[in-house]
Amino acid sequence: MIRLTRYLPIFDWGKSYTRETATRDLVAALIVTIMLIPQSLAYALLAGLPPEVGLYASILPLVAYALFGSSRVLAVGPVAVVSLMTASAVGEFAQQGTPEYLGAAIVLAFLSGLMLIAMGLLRLGFLANLLSHPVISGFITASGLLIAASQLKHVLGVPSHGHTLTEILLSLAQHLDAVNWITVFIGATVTAFLFWVRKGLKATLLGLGLAPFLSDILTKAGPVAAVVATTVLSNTLQLSDRGVRVVGDIPSGLPVPQLPGFDSELWLALAGPALLISVIGFVESVSVAQTLAAKKRQRIEPDQELIGLGSANIASALSGGYPVTGGFARSVVNFDAGAATPAAGAFTAAGIAFATLLLTPLLAHLPQATLAATIIVAVLALVDFGAVRRTFRYSKSDFSAMAATIAVTLLFGVESGVISGVVLSIALHLYRSSRPHMAIVGIVPGSEHFRNVDRHNVVTGETVLTVRVDESLFFANSRFLEDRIYALVAERPEVDHVILMCSAINAIDASALESLEEINQRLFDAGVTFHLSEVKGPVMDRLNRSDFPDQLTGRVFLSQYDALCTLDPPAVQMAGARTPARRAGAPG
């Protein structure tokens, strides 16, 4: 049973499902459904797909995640960044509006689902750590700007193309003489209205005396109100005859589940983009899920999240949808509305299915500018220039990686931005690890504590050199350690003992072991004895499986204070610390 709940969390939370819980989930589902209907249509437009595909991607995927996902409140469905990545990937192989384009998007979802499930079964959830937060933040900020720019063509009513910011802006500039001012009016009005709804409507309603719950529902229904109002206006005035582009006929009814077509050449070509979408979607989703779970003292399983998201993507492909993941805004709304279990997602799916069956014929006159405004308002919330400023003040290296990710994404496209972000994250980690912080330490007067000589008033003595390394030792930094110790010893001809203080070393790999053996031998040749202190138990266990402890010219001390008392008692006396009785015991 434990193994079953591991892969089907529904058997865990389903045991305690009550009427009260169902009520909370139904209320949350109502609010999220109201929010998701216009978003699904808009994000399908962003992906270059027919609007009904966004609805299809918001039905079965939610049910699949409710069965397999580990988060109680994550709201799965189409999201802006993944929609943009879908358009970028599929646009390389087919023309928008063709059956081949839709077929490629479905294959992309299916491949992404297979990859996510495979990663989950192989327990590769830790791969989310390969992307640093500044790089993720930079990528999302750049994607938000890119998405907003890509929607300006719908707000202006002009044709445009391009996958980079430069291409989009140049294309818009070339078509400015074709601007449809009625479309501009609709797009600008809806954008301003949605910004006001997001920022001020709820406070206004509360000020008028409305209950918080009703105020919240009306606020979330802002995009729906915009859709209804502009659709009625467009239909009444026949704006499509005046050059205003509308959504057009949307087929009613639910899709018939079917497997995507198999074309080995297409599948291989889409494998790379599918992997990038899988990684970005998972990172975005698991970050939101972990943040919200922590607020309720719950936990999620990253490996199970991979399986849950993979199942959702396969369900999307089988129902004629495109890649999906957990959305930040929807998940926060779901959380704030009181969702208690993933069943809220299943109830939301039922609401979207109802809308797909009965409401889609009413949306034929919906202006595309309205959906574009919905996207622009949603994605600009992702743009965080404050994070750029904070990162610049805190860490110039992190800022460099962040700025590079933003620049590459804007100038060369989303896929290049993702790849550069992964490469920069790994490169930044390796660079920092290859040059670990190393400090010469001395004893703090009147204590048994040791601190950096450059930061504290400490006593070091003459014949003992103690070096503390604040990083695990592995192949990337072992040579740096060697060079640093040789340089320090060369500067101090009076030194007879070198102690490597290992309090911050959590692991030593085979390359680092060879470096320690080389340091030991070269110091011996120079007449200097090499010692270790404060070696952690697991690290010492591994060293004991080698010949190094037998070859060590010095000793392994339980503490740095013991080492200094043994090797340089005058320094201890100079520091005014009492000399304790010898301590017994192996390094811990």
Side-chain angles (χ1 to χ4, degrees):
M1 186 65 181
I2 295 178
R3 188 172 182 83
L4 189 61
T5 58
R6 159 73 174 84
Y7 292 106
L8 283 168
I10 187 173
F11 285 104
D12 180 23
W13 56 262
K15 292 184 298 185
S16 56
Y17 203 73
T18 63
R19 179 177 296 180
E20 179 185 354
T21 306
T23 301
R24 293 169 59 189
D25 286 342
L26 282 168
V27 171
L30 172 63
I31 296 176
V32 174
T33 299
I34 292 172
M35 180 181 185
L36 186 53
I37 290 173
Q39 279 194 354
S40 297
L41 299 170
Y43 290 149
L45 180 71
L46 174 60
L49 295 164
E52 67 269 15
V53 175
L55 296 173
Y56 299 162
S58 304
I59 301 174
L60 283 187
L62 280 68
V63 177
Y65 184 83
L67 293 173
F68 296 99
S70 67
S71 172
R72 301 291 180 96
V73 296
L74 189 70
V76 173
V79 299
V81 173
V82 171
S83 298
L84 179 64
M85 295 178 70
T86 298
S88 176
V90 177
E92 299 290 329
F93 305 98
Q95 185 70 30
Q96 287 189 15
T98 63
E100 291 77 16
Y101 189 94
L102 175 58
I106 292 172
V107 169
L108 195 63
F110 194 75
L111 285 173
S112 178
L114 291 177
M115 291 176 178
L116 286 164
I117 290 176
M119 288 190 288
L121 294 175
L122 294 173
R123 298 182 178 272
L124 299 181
F126 68 90
L127 290 177
N129 299 328
L130 292 180
L131 282 170
S132 68
H133 181 74
V135 165
I136 296 172
S137 179
F139 173 74
I140 291 177
T141 291
S143 297
L145 294 173
L146 203 58
I147 292 168
S150 72
Q151 296 307 296
L152 290 177
K153 63 181 180 182
H154 298 297
V155 173
L156 298 175
V158 300
S160 177
H161 64 274
H163 296 297
T164 69
L165 185 62
T166 305
E167 292 174 351
I168 292 170
L169 294 180
L170 286 176
S171 182
L172 287 172
Q174 293 169 358
H175 295 90
L176 285 179
D177 56 339
V179 168
N180 183 289
W181 292 105
I182 298 177
T183 301
V184 172
F185 175 78
I186 294 172
T189 302
V190 173
T191 300
F193 171 73
L194 293 178
F195 270 120
W196 175 73
V197 166
R198 182 180 289 260
K199 298 293 184 180
L201 178 58
K202 187 173 182 178
T204 301
L205 294 175
L206 290 173
L208 293 175
L210 266 69
F213 175 72
L214 182 58
S215 299
D216 195 49
I217 289 183
L218 292 175
T219 300
K220 299 301 184 296
V224 175
V227 166
V228 172
T230 54
T231 301
V232 171
L233 180 68
S234 174
N235 185 34
T236 303
L237 301 179
Q238 293 297 304
L239 296 182
S240 59
D241 295 336
R242 304 186 184 186
V244 176
R245 297 178 182 175
V246 297
V247 169
D249 292 333
I250 302 177
S252 58
L254 300 176
V256 178
Q258 58 182 351
L259 287 171
F262 181 75
D263 179 340
S264 59
E265 185 176 343
L266 178 64
W267 282 47
L268 287 173
L270 288 175
L275 180 61
L276 294 178
I277 287 175
S278 299
V279 172
I280 289 298
F282 172 63
V283 170
E284 180 180 355
S285 178
V286 79
S287 299
V288 176
Q290 288 176 332
T291 300
L292 297 179
K295 292 183 177 181
K296 288 192 174 183
R297 298 190 177 185
Q298 297 170 349
R299 61 188 299 270
I300 67 164
E301 295 287 346
D303 295 325
Q304 186 60 33
E305 279 301 287
L306 285 166
I307 295 175
L309 291 175
S311 302
N313 275 279
I314 288 180
S316 183
L318 295 178
S319 56
Y322 69 103
V324 297
T325 192
F328 176 76
R330 286 196 302 273
S331 298
V332 171
V333 170
N334 201 34
F335 177 87
D336 290 341
T341 73
F347 295 146
T348 300
I352 299 296
F354 173 80
T356 305
L357 284 169
L358 301 179
L359 301 182
T360 50
L362 305 177
L363 299 175
H365 292 279
L366 171 62
Q368 292 185 7
T370 300
L371 296 180
T374 301
I375 294 174
I376 290 172
V377 173
V379 299
L380 287 183
L382 303 175
V383 178
D384 189 358
F385 291 120
V388 179
R389 291 193 299 271
R390 292 190 298 271
T391 303
F392 177 78
R393 290 196 302 267
Y394 184 76
S395 170
K396 298 300 186 289
S397 59
D398 279 329
F399 170 76
S400 299
M402 188 183 207
T405 302
I406 292 175
V408 171
T409 303
L410 292 177
L411 298 178
F412 298 99
V414 177
E415 290 186 8
S416 298
V418 175
I419 295 171
S420 67
V422 173
V423 171
L424 286 170
S425 294
I426 297 174
L428 191 59
H429 169 71
L430 291 176
Y431 173 77
R432 288 171 173 167
S433 299
S434 67
R435 302 179 63 84
H437 178 262
M438 296 177 60
I440 300 173
V441 299
I443 187 170
V444 177
S447 75
E448 298 181 9
H449 299 292
F450 289 79
R451 294 292 184 269
N452 190 337
V453 298
D454 295 328
R455 294 177 177 272
H456 301 272
N457 181 24
V458 295
V459 176
T460 59
E462 297 292 333
T463 61
V464 176
L465 171 67
T466 301
V467 179
R468 189 190 69 216
V469 182
D470 298 330
E471 180 70 67
S472 292
L473 300 179
F474 68 119
F475 67 91
N477 60 25
S478 55
R479 182 57 62 87
F480 180 80
L481 173 67
E482 288 186 53
D483 294 341
R484 180 65 173 154
I485 287 181
Y486 298 153
L488 291 173
V489 171
E491 295 170 1
R492 296 164 173 78
E494 70 280 2
V495 167
D496 295 324
H497 302 277
V498 170
I499 307 172
L500 182 63
M501 187 174 176
C502 304
S503 54
I505 297 176
N506 296 317
I508 297 175
D509 75 356
S511 298
L513 176 61
E514 290 187 9
S515 291
L516 292 179
E517 292 171 344
E518 183 67 19
I519 292 170
N520 182 60
Q521 184 60 47
R522 289 186 61 172
L523 290 181
F524 175 75
D525 294 340
V528 178
T529 307
F530 187 43
H531 309 268
L532 305 179
S533 72
E534 302 190 7
V535 183
K536 294 183 177 180
V539 177
M540 196 67 224
D541 291 341
R542 178 164 290 186
L543 290 177
N544 283 331
R545 294 199 291 268
S546 71
D547 297 330
F548 178 71
D550 297 328
Q551 297 173 2
L552 187 64
T553 56
R555 295 172 52 184
V556 179
F557 292 95
L558 182 64
S559 72
Q560 178 59 30
Y561 187 69
D562 285 345
L564 198 62
C565 287
T566 300
L567 302 176
D568 196 356
V572 177
Q573 294 174 358
M574 187 184 306
R578 58 185 180 83
T579 304
R582 296 299 310 133
R583 304 179 191 179

